[in-house]
Amino acid sequence: MSGQTDHTLEPLVRKLAYRVRLDDADRDAILQLPYRTRRLERREFLVREGDRNTHSSVLLSGFAMRNKIVGGGARQILAIHVRGEMMDLQNSLLRTADHSVQALTDAKVALVPREAMLKLAFEWPHVGKALWLDSLVDASVFREWIANVGRRDARTRIAHLLCEFSLRLNVAGLGEECQYELPMTQEEIADCTGLTSVHVNRTLKALEEDRLIERQSRRTVVIGDWRKLADVGDFDSAYLHLDENEPALA
Amino acid sequence: MSGQTDHTLEPLVRKLAYRVRLDDADRDAILQLPYRTRRLERREFLVREGDRNTHSSVLLSGFAMRNKIVGGGARQILAIHVRGEMMDLQNSLLRTADHSVQALTDAKVALVPREAMLKLAFEWPHVGKALWLDSLVDASVFREWIANVGRRDARTRIAHLLCEFSLRLNVAGLGEECQYELPMTQEEIADCTGLTSVHVNRTLKALEEDRLIERQSRRTVVIGDWRKLADVGDFDSAYLHLDENEPALA
DNA sequence: CGGGAGGTTGACAATCGTCAATCAGAGTGG
DNA sequence: CCACTCTGATTGACGATTGTCAACCTCCCG
């Protein structure tokens, strides 16, 4: 252990290096963040709406989601997270959590004290920029979800969601572009899209009948024709800002 | 002109100082940002989805919105902005605009070169933190909008929106808590809430009949009973993070 | 083999959208 | 000052996407 670099936070390095060029010192600064890990079981909460938070968390393995419960008791899922992603920069920079963070599968997270994260961001400008960019891309995805839920019909919404997952999982090194494991129940898909699980079920069936997707095992998504699905889903990946690298450093 | 401090960017200072304590040097650094102003007419675009952007813009007066057009041609409004708000930090830190920015009323904006903004953020940590926080609060509002559009019925959605405006305009020094000018057509309200203008019309009428709001002139909103409207709108202001000040400096 | 979570299906209800006509108010030019 | 015009608001009739309720099925796991 001692003397050796700890590579636990490597997934975060990978994620942050995706858009901003990081040198070795930047990488080391990230890897040397103080943290403690925590295992979560499926459905376990990491943060609950209203909590006072003191840590930022990085998802090391598994899947997680952010969600809110509205007045009537309905749940809206706001984001799905995969390995390497920061899940609550917002919850720890802002004092009070405005939404919950919950494991979608068994998962492992690293908890980094807020102060350490802030220090990292301001002492290592490249890293700071990467973190900031990351939260801006997050926001871009939120915006797309507003449009998805607000202005698309069920078929389009779900196709869009499947396309988004396809690309994001691919970038994270999980699954092929046209085949991936999606550990979500139909109810969870419903809560992402503002629909009911019954209607999601019917819509998935329709997509399958049209040979746009196949469902082999319960959680495997196979996309029959990517272009066609993207077309049906009104999907344009621009909002993920995937191919935008280093826009000139500060 | 010369020798005197230019106070054009004062609204931005005010906005940023809302959550993070800024000293005089910080304030001066903001006021001394290079910028050029531009006047926009109602409905004029400042940024179009897909543009390559090089500037961040601050809304100096008037109202503006961000929006996207989805496949079927429908528009989804993603955010409404008032005086002092940064409208496209994201559009200029990220290379390609993933949504449009458009004036809701005649408006005046200050355009700040991206590099100057980045420099400001990293050389003045308090300011950098304020900017970052600002984009995190923005994201929080996006999340609430996802939930609003995804999981609330028309009546609740609209009541929620009216409550949000009430608080935000009040904070910006525009209008009372229970009475304000809202320069939006019913179609624009519809595009905020994922409804049609016809349904917005009917819902507003119903809210008025229930004495939750009054509509005097076309654009004036008078809230009859704030608590009741907040109740109907399932409104909890926590997501605006209004009363969260200075959470310990980096 | 039993239990349980989640998926599937049908019948029916309701919120919300569509279409289209009409109305009202603000700005403009004669 | 008044007709004119245009945008946006209002209203009605009707249609459709999506939700609700409830039963049943199926796969997975101990």
Side-chain angles (χ1 to χ4, degrees):
Chain A
M1 289 284 159
S2 57
Q4 279 270 306
T5 308
D6 174 357
H7 284 279
T8 309
L9 295 177
E10 193 62 46
L12 179 59
V13 172
R14 180 189 159 138
K15 171 81 178 176
L16 294 180
Y18 190 82
R19 288 196 184 78
V20 172
R21 200 168 306 123
L22 300 180
D23 58 32
D24 290 344
D26 293 323
R27 287 165 193 268
D28 282 347
I30 297 171
L31 292 175
Q32 282 161 25
L33 277 170
Y35 69 89
R36 66 170 208 274
T37 61
R38 178 171 162 196
R39 288 184 181 282
L40 297 172
E41 290 186 358
R42 174 165 141 86
R43 310 243 159 125
E44 194 175 344
F45 282 89
L46 177 64
V47 177
R48 281 181 188 271
E49 194 172 340
D51 280 358
R52 292 297 170 96
N53 246 46
T54 51
H55 291 72
S56 293
S57 54
V58 180
L59 185 54
L60 299 176
S61 69
F63 289 75
M65 62 171 162
R66 315 197 209 173
N67 64 56
K68 286 194 179 203
I69 306 295
V70 302
R75 176 178 67 173
Q76 176 67 47
I77 295 180
L78 307 163
I80 301 294
H81 288 293
V82 304
R83 186 173 67 192
E85 296 184 347
M86 300 273 333
M87 290 188 298
D88 55 357
L89 217 45
Q90 49 288 323
N91 276 347
S92 55
L93 268 186
L94 294 167
R95 200 173 50 183
T96 311
D98 54 66
H99 62 279
S100 303
V101 178
Q102 195 175 0
L104 212 46
T105 63
D106 289 353
K108 198 174 150 193
V109 298
L111 301 169
V112 180
R114 185 186 65 196
E115 294 72 25
M117 196 56 91
L118 281 174
K119 195 154 169 267
L120 177 73
F122 285 100
E123 288 185 1
W124 301 89
H126 300 187
V127 180
K129 193 169 164 196
L131 285 169
W132 195 355
L133 265 174
D134 193 57
S135 52
L136 291 179
V137 172
D138 248 41
S140 175
V141 176
F142 289 140
R143 287 191 291 271
E144 186 67 29
W145 280 39
I146 294 175
N148 202 38
V149 166
R151 285 297 185 214
R152 295 191 179 113
D153 65 18
R155 183 182 171 85
T156 313
R157 264 182 237 186
I158 292 178
H160 191 280
L161 193 71
L162 293 177
C163 288
E164 178 179 317
F165 288 149
S166 153
L167 290 193
R168 288 180 53 203
L169 291 174
N170 190 240
V171 167
L174 307 160
E176 317 282 317
E177 192 149 289
C178 283
Q179 172 155 2
Y180 56 88
E181 294 296 318
L182 184 65
M184 293 175 70
T185 65
Q186 294 182 358
E187 189 172 355
E188 285 158 347
I189 294 175
D191 288 344
C192 285
T193 50
L195 300 165
T196 58
S197 61
V198 172
H199 205 247
V200 166
N201 183 290
R202 292 180 173 131
T203 309
L204 283 175
K205 195 176 136 195
L207 288 174
E208 192 167 25
E209 273 167 6
D210 294 346
R211 310 221 166 270
L212 292 165
I213 60 170
E214 269 176 64
R215 290 174 294 168
Q216 307 183 327
S217 83
R218 213 128 165 176
R219 299 289 148 81
T220 308
V221 176
V222 182
I223 298 180
D225 182 339
W226 212 94
R227 282 210 166 276
K228 232 161 123 187
L229 187 66
D231 199 46
V232 167
D234 185 26
F235 185 81
D236 173 349
S237 66
Y239 74 98
L240 294 172
H241 298 277
L242 290 178
D243 49 359
E244 298 186 21
N245 41 15
E246 195 59 32
L249 217 46
Chain B
M1 288 279 165
S2 58
Q4 278 272 305
T5 308
D6 173 0
H7 285 280
T8 309
L9 295 177
E10 192 64 45
L12 178 59
V13 172
R14 179 188 162 142
K15 170 81 177 177
L16 294 179
Y18 190 81
R19 288 195 185 78
V20 172
R21 201 168 306 122
L22 300 180
D23 57 34
D24 289 344
D26 294 323
R27 288 165 193 267
D28 282 347
I30 297 171
L31 291 176
Q32 280 161 26
L33 276 170
Y35 69 88
R36 67 169 208 273
T37 60
R38 180 172 159 194
R39 287 184 182 282
L40 296 172
E41 289 186 359
R42 174 165 143 85
R43 310 247 160 121
E44 194 175 344
F45 281 90
L46 177 64
V47 177
R48 280 180 189 271
E49 194 173 341
D51 281 358
R52 293 296 171 96
N53 246 47
T54 51
H55 290 72
S56 293
S57 53
V58 180
L59 186 55
L60 298 177
S61 69
F63 289 75
M65 63 171 159
R66 315 196 209 176
N67 63 55
K68 286 194 181 205
I69 306 296
V70 302
R75 176 178 67 173
Q76 175 67 47
I77 295 179
L78 306 164
I80 301 295
H81 288 293
V82 304
R83 187 173 66 192
E85 296 185 345
M86 300 274 332
M87 289 189 297
D88 55 357
L89 218 43
Q90 48 288 322
N91 276 345
S92 56
L93 269 185
L94 295 167
R95 200 173 50 182
T96 311
D98 53 67
H99 62 277
S100 303
V101 178
Q102 196 176 359
L104 212 46
T105 63
D106 290 352
K108 197 174 150 195
V109 298
L111 300 169
V112 180
R114 185 185 65 198
E115 294 72 26
M117 197 56 93
L118 282 173
K119 193 153 170 268
L120 177 73
F122 285 100
E123 289 186 0
W124 300 89
H126 299 189
V127 180
K129 192 169 166 194
L131 285 168
W132 195 354
L133 265 174
D134 192 57
S135 53
L136 292 178
V137 172
D138 248 41
S140 175
V141 176
F142 290 140
R143 287 191 291 272
E144 186 68 29
W145 280 40
I146 293 174
N148 201 37
V149 167
R151 285 295 185 216
R152 296 193 178 111
D153 65 17
R155 183 183 171 85
T156 314
R157 264 182 238 185
I158 292 177
H160 190 280
L161 194 71
L162 293 177
C163 288
E164 178 180 316
F165 288 148
S166 151
L167 290 194
R168 288 180 52 203
L169 291 175
N170 190 239
V171 167
L174 307 161
E176 316 283 317
E177 192 148 289
C178 284
Q179 172 154 0
Y180 55 89
E181 295 295 318
L182 185 63
M184 293 175 71
T185 65
Q186 293 183 359
E187 189 172 355
E188 285 158 347
I189 294 175
D191 289 343
C192 285
T193 49
L195 300 165
T196 57
S197 61
V198 172
H199 203 63
V200 166
N201 184 288
R202 292 180 174 132
T203 308
L204 283 175
K205 194 176 137 195
L207 289 174
E208 191 168 25
E209 272 168 6
D210 296 346
R211 311 220 165 270
L212 292 164
I213 60 170
E214 268 175 64
R215 290 174 293 168
Q216 306 183 328
S217 84
R218 212 125 165 181
R219 299 288 149 79
T220 308
V221 177
V222 182
I223 298 179
D225 183 338
W226 211 95
R227 283 210 165 276
K228 233 161 125 187
L229 187 66
D231 198 46
V232 167
D234 184 26
F235 186 80
D236 174 348
S237 67
Y239 75 97
L240 293 172
H241 298 276
L242 290 178
D243 48 0
E244 299 187 19
N245 41 14
E246 194 60 32
L249 217 45

